[in-house]
mmCIF file of all heavy atoms in Angstrom:
data_model
loop_
_atom_site.group_PDB
_atom_site.id
_atom_site.type_symbol
_atom_site.label_atom_id
_atom_site.label_comp_id
_atom_site.label_asym_id
_atom_site.label_seq_id
_atom_site.Cartn_x
_atom_site.Cartn_y
_atom_site.Cartn_z
ATOM 1 N N TRP A 36 -15.026 9.550 22.333
ATOM 2 C CA TRP A 36 -16.012 8.510 22.031
ATOM 3 C C TRP A 36 -16.715 8.904 20.738
ATOM 4 O O TRP A 36 -17.083 10.065 20.549
ATOM 5 C CB TRP A 36 -17.029 8.372 23.156
ATOM 6 C CG TRP A 36 -16.509 7.694 24.378
ATOM 7 C CD1 TRP A 36 -16.038 8.284 25.516
ATOM 8 C CD2 TRP A 36 -16.393 6.279 24.594
ATOM 9 N NE1 TRP A 36 -15.645 7.318 26.420
ATOM 10 C CE2 TRP A 36 -15.848 6.079 25.883
ATOM 11 C CE3 TRP A 36 -16.716 5.151 23.824
ATOM 12 C CZ2 TRP A 36 -15.614 4.811 26.413
ATOM 13 C CZ3 TRP A 36 -16.481 3.888 24.354
ATOM 14 C CH2 TRP A 36 -15.930 3.724 25.629
ATOM 15 N N ILE A 37 -16.886 7.929 19.856
ATOM 16 C CA ILE A 37 -17.552 8.101 18.562
ATOM 17 C C ILE A 37 -18.519 6.935 18.413
ATOM 18 O O ILE A 37 -18.242 5.825 18.865
ATOM 19 C CB ILE A 37 -16.534 8.081 17.399
ATOM 20 C CG1 ILE A 37 -15.504 9.209 17.560
ATOM 21 C CG2 ILE A 37 -17.218 8.178 16.045
ATOM 22 C CD1 ILE A 37 -14.142 8.726 17.978
ATOM 23 N N ARG A 38 -19.670 7.179 17.781
ATOM 24 C CA ARG A 38 -20.596 6.079 17.571
ATOM 25 C C ARG A 38 -21.031 6.010 16.115
ATOM 26 O O ARG A 38 -20.916 6.979 15.364
ATOM 27 C CB ARG A 38 -21.803 6.195 18.495
ATOM 28 C CG ARG A 38 -22.752 7.338 18.168
ATOM 29 C CD ARG A 38 -23.906 7.341 19.172
ATOM 30 N NE ARG A 38 -24.887 8.374 18.855
ATOM 31 C CZ ARG A 38 -26.003 8.571 19.552
ATOM 32 N NH1 ARG A 38 -26.273 7.805 20.612
ATOM 33 N NH2 ARG A 38 -26.842 9.527 19.206
ATOM 34 N N GLN A 39 -21.548 4.828 15.742
ATOM 35 C CA GLN A 39 -21.971 4.584 14.365
ATOM 36 C C GLN A 39 -23.232 3.735 14.389
ATOM 37 O O GLN A 39 -23.166 2.514 14.598
ATOM 38 C CB GLN A 39 -20.863 3.888 13.580
ATOM 39 C CG GLN A 39 -21.176 3.696 12.105
ATOM 40 C CD GLN A 39 -19.979 3.196 11.337
ATOM 41 O OE1 GLN A 39 -19.163 2.415 11.839
ATOM 42 N NE2 GLN A 39 -19.839 3.643 10.099
ATOM 43 N N PRO A 40 -24.405 4.333 14.177
ATOM 44 C CA PRO A 40 -25.649 3.545 14.090
ATOM 45 C C PRO A 40 -25.569 2.553 12.945
ATOM 46 O O PRO A 40 -24.825 2.769 11.983
ATOM 47 C CB PRO A 40 -26.725 4.604 13.848
ATOM 48 C CG PRO A 40 -26.116 5.886 14.341
ATOM 49 C CD PRO A 40 -24.648 5.763 14.044
ATOM 50 N N PRO A 41 -26.340 1.479 13.014
ATOM 51 C CA PRO A 41 -26.285 0.455 11.962
ATOM 52 C C PRO A 41 -26.506 1.045 10.573
ATOM 53 O O PRO A 41 -27.498 1.746 10.337
ATOM 54 C CB PRO A 41 -27.437 -0.486 12.346
ATOM 55 C CG PRO A 41 -27.627 -0.283 13.800
ATOM 56 C CD PRO A 41 -27.294 1.153 14.068
ATOM 57 N N GLY A 42 -25.568 0.789 9.674
ATOM 58 C CA GLY A 42 -25.694 1.242 8.295
ATOM 59 C C GLY A 42 -25.532 2.733 8.089
ATOM 60 O O GLY A 42 -25.796 3.236 6.990
ATOM 61 N N LYS A 43 -25.091 3.451 9.134
ATOM 62 C CA LYS A 43 -24.979 4.902 9.025
ATOM 63 C C LYS A 43 -23.542 5.380 9.253
ATOM 64 O O LYS A 43 -22.624 4.574 9.404
ATOM 65 C CB LYS A 43 -25.928 5.570 10.017
ATOM 66 C CG LYS A 43 -27.395 5.302 9.709
ATOM 67 C CD LYS A 43 -28.302 6.134 10.590
ATOM 68 C CE LYS A 43 -29.770 5.898 10.234
ATOM 69 N NZ LYS A 43 -30.680 6.734 11.075
ATOM 70 N N GLY A 44 -23.358 6.688 9.268
ATOM 71 C CA GLY A 44 -22.038 7.270 9.397
ATOM 72 C C GLY A 44 -21.599 7.461 10.834
ATOM 73 O O GLY A 44 -22.257 7.031 11.783
ATOM 74 N N LEU A 45 -20.455 8.121 10.979
ATOM 75 C CA LEU A 45 -19.818 8.326 12.280
ATOM 76 C C LEU A 45 -20.308 9.615 12.935
ATOM 77 O O LEU A 45 -20.510 10.628 12.263
ATOM 78 C CB LEU A 45 -18.298 8.391 12.094
ATOM 79 C CG LEU A 45 -17.661 7.158 11.447
ATOM 80 C CD1 LEU A 45 -16.228 7.473 11.007
ATOM 81 C CD2 LEU A 45 -17.670 5.994 12.424
ATOM 82 N N GLU A 46 -20.465 9.555 14.250
ATOM 83 C CA GLU A 46 -20.888 10.729 15.024
ATOM 84 C C GLU A 46 -19.970 10.866 16.235
ATOM 85 O O GLU A 46 -19.876 9.938 17.050
ATOM 86 C CB GLU A 46 -22.340 10.599 15.475
ATOM 87 C CG GLU A 46 -22.822 11.781 16.299
ATOM 88 C CD GLU A 46 -24.257 11.633 16.764
ATOM 89 O OE1 GLU A 46 -24.670 10.501 17.083
ATOM 90 O OE2 GLU A 46 -24.971 12.653 16.826
ATOM 91 N N TRP A 47 -19.332 12.025 16.367
ATOM 92 C CA TRP A 47 -18.487 12.298 17.525
ATOM 93 C C TRP A 47 -19.382 12.580 18.728
ATOM 94 O O TRP A 47 -20.300 13.398 18.647
ATOM 95 C CB TRP A 47 -17.574 13.471 17.233
ATOM 96 C CG TRP A 47 -16.722 13.897 18.375
ATOM 97 C CD1 TRP A 47 -15.605 13.279 18.850
ATOM 98 C CD2 TRP A 47 -16.905 15.053 19.203
ATOM 99 N NE1 TRP A 47 -15.081 13.979 19.913
ATOM 100 C CE2 TRP A 47 -15.856 15.076 20.150
ATOM 101 C CE3 TRP A 47 -17.853 16.080 19.232
ATOM 102 C CZ2 TRP A 47 -15.726 16.074 21.113
ATOM 103 C CZ3 TRP A 47 -17.731 17.079 20.181
ATOM 104 C CH2 TRP A 47 -16.669 17.063 21.118
ATOM 105 N N ILE A 48 -19.100 11.922 19.844
ATOM 106 C CA ILE A 48 -19.905 12.083 21.056
ATOM 107 C C ILE A 48 -19.279 13.104 22.001
ATOM 108 O O ILE A 48 -19.965 13.975 22.544
ATOM 109 C CB ILE A 48 -20.054 10.743 21.791
ATOM 110 C CG1 ILE A 48 -20.782 9.719 20.913
ATOM 111 C CG2 ILE A 48 -20.798 10.929 23.122
ATOM 112 C CD1 ILE A 48 -20.778 8.307 21.470
ATOM 113 N N GLY A 49 -17.970 12.983 22.204
ATOM 114 C CA GLY A 49 -17.295 13.894 23.115
ATOM 115 C C GLY A 49 -15.885 13.429 23.404
ATOM 116 O O GLY A 49 -15.476 12.356 22.958
ATOM 117 N N TYR A 50 -15.144 14.272 24.141
ATOM 118 C CA TYR A 50 -13.792 13.882 24.521
ATOM 119 C C TYR A 50 -13.487 14.265 25.958
ATOM 120 O O TYR A 50 -14.194 15.075 26.570
ATOM 121 C CB TYR A 50 -12.741 14.493 23.593
ATOM 122 C CG TYR A 50 -12.508 16.003 23.693
ATOM 123 C CD1 TYR A 50 -12.099 16.623 24.876
ATOM 124 C CD2 TYR A 50 -12.668 16.813 22.576
ATOM 125 C CE1 TYR A 50 -11.873 17.987 24.956
ATOM 126 C CE2 TYR A 50 -12.438 18.182 22.632
ATOM 127 C CZ TYR A 50 -12.047 18.775 23.824
ATOM 128 O OH TYR A 50 -11.822 20.128 23.890
ATOM 129 N N ILE A 51 -12.436 13.656 26.471
ATOM 130 C CA ILE A 51 -11.858 14.060 27.744
ATOM 131 C C ILE A 51 -10.364 14.244 27.529
ATOM 132 O O ILE A 51 -9.722 13.432 26.851
ATOM 133 C CB ILE A 51 -12.160 13.050 28.870
ATOM 134 C CG1 ILE A 51 -11.660 13.587 30.219
ATOM 135 C CG2 ILE A 51 -11.582 11.661 28.568
ATOM 136 C CD1 ILE A 51 -12.243 12.859 31.421
ATOM 137 N N TYR A 52 -9.829 15.337 28.044
ATOM 138 C CA TYR A 52 -8.395 15.591 27.989
ATOM 139 C C TYR A 52 -7.776 14.946 29.222
ATOM 140 O O TYR A 52 -8.463 14.718 30.228
ATOM 141 C CB TYR A 52 -8.153 17.091 27.946
ATOM 142 C CG TYR A 52 -6.756 17.535 27.603
ATOM 143 C CD1 TYR A 52 -5.995 16.884 26.639
ATOM 144 C CD2 TYR A 52 -6.197 18.650 28.223
ATOM 145 C CE1 TYR A 52 -4.717 17.312 26.321
ATOM 146 C CE2 TYR A 52 -4.921 19.093 27.900
ATOM 147 C CZ TYR A 52 -4.190 18.413 26.954
ATOM 148 O OH TYR A 52 -2.925 18.852 26.633
ATOM 149 N N TYR A 53 -6.470 14.691 29.179
ATOM 150 C CA TYR A 53 -5.848 14.001 30.309
ATOM 151 C C TYR A 53 -5.928 14.835 31.592
ATOM 152 O O TYR A 53 -5.814 14.284 32.699
ATOM 153 C CB TYR A 53 -4.400 13.636 29.983
ATOM 154 C CG TYR A 53 -3.419 14.780 30.049
ATOM 155 C CD1 TYR A 53 -2.559 14.911 31.128
ATOM 156 C CD2 TYR A 53 -3.346 15.729 29.031
ATOM 157 C CE1 TYR A 53 -1.651 15.945 31.205
ATOM 158 C CE2 TYR A 53 -2.450 16.767 29.093
ATOM 159 C CZ TYR A 53 -1.599 16.879 30.172
ATOM 160 O OH TYR A 53 -0.703 17.915 30.233
ATOM 161 N N THR A 54 -6.171 16.120 31.455
ATOM 162 C CA THR A 54 -6.315 16.981 32.637
ATOM 163 C C THR A 54 -7.698 16.869 33.256
ATOM 164 O O THR A 54 -7.943 17.383 34.341
ATOM 165 C CB THR A 54 -6.094 18.446 32.247
ATOM 166 O OG1 THR A 54 -7.043 18.794 31.223
ATOM 167 C CG2 THR A 54 -4.682 18.666 31.720
ATOM 168 N N GLY A 55 -8.611 16.209 32.534
ATOM 169 C CA GLY A 55 -9.983 16.087 33.007
ATOM 170 C C GLY A 55 -10.960 17.003 32.286
ATOM 171 O O GLY A 55 -12.179 16.885 32.464
ATOM 172 N N LYS A 56 -10.462 17.905 31.465
ATOM 173 C CA LYS A 56 -11.338 18.791 30.681
ATOM 174 C C LYS A 56 -12.159 17.964 29.700
ATOM 175 O O LYS A 56 -11.636 17.030 29.081
ATOM 176 C CB LYS A 56 -10.489 19.804 29.923
ATOM 177 C CG LYS A 56 -11.221 20.612 28.871
ATOM 178 C CD LYS A 56 -10.251 21.441 28.058
ATOM 179 C CE LYS A 56 -10.904 22.038 26.844
ATOM 180 N NZ LYS A 56 -9.964 22.794 26.002
ATOM 181 N N THR A 57 -13.440 18.321 29.557
ATOM 182 C CA THR A 57 -14.323 17.590 28.647
ATOM 183 C C THR A 57 -15.010 18.531 27.669
ATOM 184 O O THR A 57 -15.132 19.733 27.907
ATOM 185 C CB THR A 57 -15.405 16.818 29.421
ATOM 186 O OG1 THR A 57 -16.135 17.741 30.238
ATOM 187 C CG2 THR A 57 -14.806 15.721 30.282
ATOM 188 N N ALA A 58 -15.475 17.949 26.560
ATOM 189 C CA ALA A 58 -16.299 18.660 25.584
ATOM 190 C C ALA A 58 -17.218 17.644 24.940
ATOM 191 O O ALA A 58 -16.833 16.488 24.749
ATOM 192 C CB ALA A 58 -15.452 19.361 24.525
#
Side-chain angles (χ1 to χ4, degrees):
Chain A
W36 286 98
I37 300 107
R38 70 180 183 178
Q39 185 171 35
K43 295 188 178 181
L45 302 166
E46 179 181 36
W47 176 76
I48 298 171
Y50 70 59
I51 186 164
Y52 192 39
Y53 77 104
T54 58
K56 169 188 169 183
T57 57

